[in-house]
Amino acid sequence: MTAGVQTAVSTARRTRVHLDDAGPLPMRGVLAAVADSAAALGLGGFARTDAYGLTVEIEGPAEQVAHFLARIAGGPLGACWSPGGELAPLGATEFAVLAVSAQRTAATAHRGSDVALCPTCVDALFDKTSPHFLDPTVGCSVCRRGDVGAGAAAPRSELRLTDPAGRPIEGVPLRSAMALLLVGGRIVATLDADRTRLYADATRPAAVAALTAAAGPAGSVVALCPDLEWARRLAVVDDDEAAALASRRSPVLLLEPHLVGPARDLVPTGGPLPVTLPGCGLTHLLARAAARPLAYLDRPAGADPGPAVGILFAEPVI
C-alpha cells in the first residue's frame, strides 16, 4: 500500500477507493482479511478474483476507509496492494465477495503475466533431454521467468528432502515426498523465500483434517488440482472460471464445492472452496507426480512447519 492512497482519503466525507494487487497473492487469505476488516469497520464494497488477481472496492465514511487502508497496509501482504484511485461513492453499505470474472480492462490485463510457467517452461520441466528437466526453478527466454535473457545460461536447482531436524530423507526427493503424502497420508512442507507451505493428499480425509487443524479457525486450505478435470470433480467451474484458472495469472479462485467426495472434507464447515492449478515449477512437479489434488496451507517464510514430517526445498546446483 502506498502512502498516497492513505493520505488521499479525507476524513470529513464519504468516499470509495479502488485497489488491486500488484503481484501473486494467496487469494483466500487476502479475501478473508479484506472481508473481515470491511465488516468490522461497517464498510461497503466488494472483492473479486479474476485471471489477473484480486480487485477490491471499499466505500464508507472516509475516516473508516482510512482505518481500513491502514489495517491492510500494516499486514504481511500490505506491499502487494496497488492503488487504483479514489472514486465517486455509490452508496454501498454492505461488503460482498463477488463471483469470479475473466474480464479486466486492457490497462491491467498483462500485468503479472510471468506469474505462472509458460508452455515452453512446462515442456522443459518434463523433457528428459532438457537441461532443466525436473528443475523446480526452471526459467526461459520466452516468458523471462527468473529473468533469464535470450542466450543466457539459466541457473539450475534440484529438490532436496529432509526431516524437520534437517537430516536427509533417503531416496529420490520428489518420489520420497510423494510416498509420504500419498502412501503414508502425512504432511510435507515446502520452503521458499516467500513462505512455508504445508501439503497433504486432498483425497485422504485424515490428512486433510490434520492440515485443517494446523490452519486453525482463521486459516483455510487450498486445493491444488493437477488439471481442470480434477477442479471440476471438486467444484462447479463455469467457462469464465475455467479460463481464469488456466491463465498465466494462476489465481486461487473461490468456487462452489460439490457436496460429495474430497470437497466435503476440504470445506467441512461449508462455504466456497479455494481452488488453483499449478503455476510455478514446484507446483507443476508436485501436481503431476500426485496425479490427484493436493491440499495446502500457507504460512510465513521461516514459520514452524508444524505437523510436517518432510521438508522439500530447491537447492542451486553449483
Side-chain angles (χ1 to χ4, degrees), residues 240-263:
D240 281 349
E241 290 163 341
L245 282 171
S247 73
R248 291 281 312 285
R249 185 61 172 146
S250 190
V252 175
L253 302 185
L254 297 180
L255 303 177
E256 178 185 349
H258 295 308
L259 300 179
V260 295

Side-chain angles (χ1 to χ4, degrees), residues 271-295:
L273 172 65
V275 175
T276 192
L277 297 185
C280 68
L282 181 56
T283 55
H284 274 279
L285 291 172
L286 290 170
R288 183 170 294 195
R292 67 184 73 172
L294 297 174

Side-chain angles (χ1 to χ4, degrees), residues 21 23 50 65 83 85 88-89 102 108 137 150 168 191 218 220 226 245 249 285 313:
D21 71 281
D50 64 19
V65 171
T108 57
T137 57
L191 307 181
S220 178
L245 282 171
R249 185 61 172 146
L285 291 172
F313 59 94

Side-chain angles (χ1 to χ4, degrees), residues 204-276:
R204 297 178 68 112
V208 173
L211 194 65
T212 302
S220 178
V221 299
V222 178
L224 170 66
C225 295
D227 49 40
L228 275 172
E229 179 183 352
W230 255 112
R232 289 190 168 104
R233 292 169 67 177
L234 294 182
V236 178
V237 184
D238 65 23
D239 291 343
D240 281 349
E241 290 163 341
L245 282 171
S247 73
R248 291 281 312 285
R249 185 61 172 146
S250 190
V252 175
L253 302 185
L254 297 180
L255 303 177
E256 178 185 349
H258 295 308
L259 300 179
V260 295
R264 178 183 53 192
D265 301 310
L266 290 165
V267 282
T269 59
L273 172 65
V275 175
T276 192

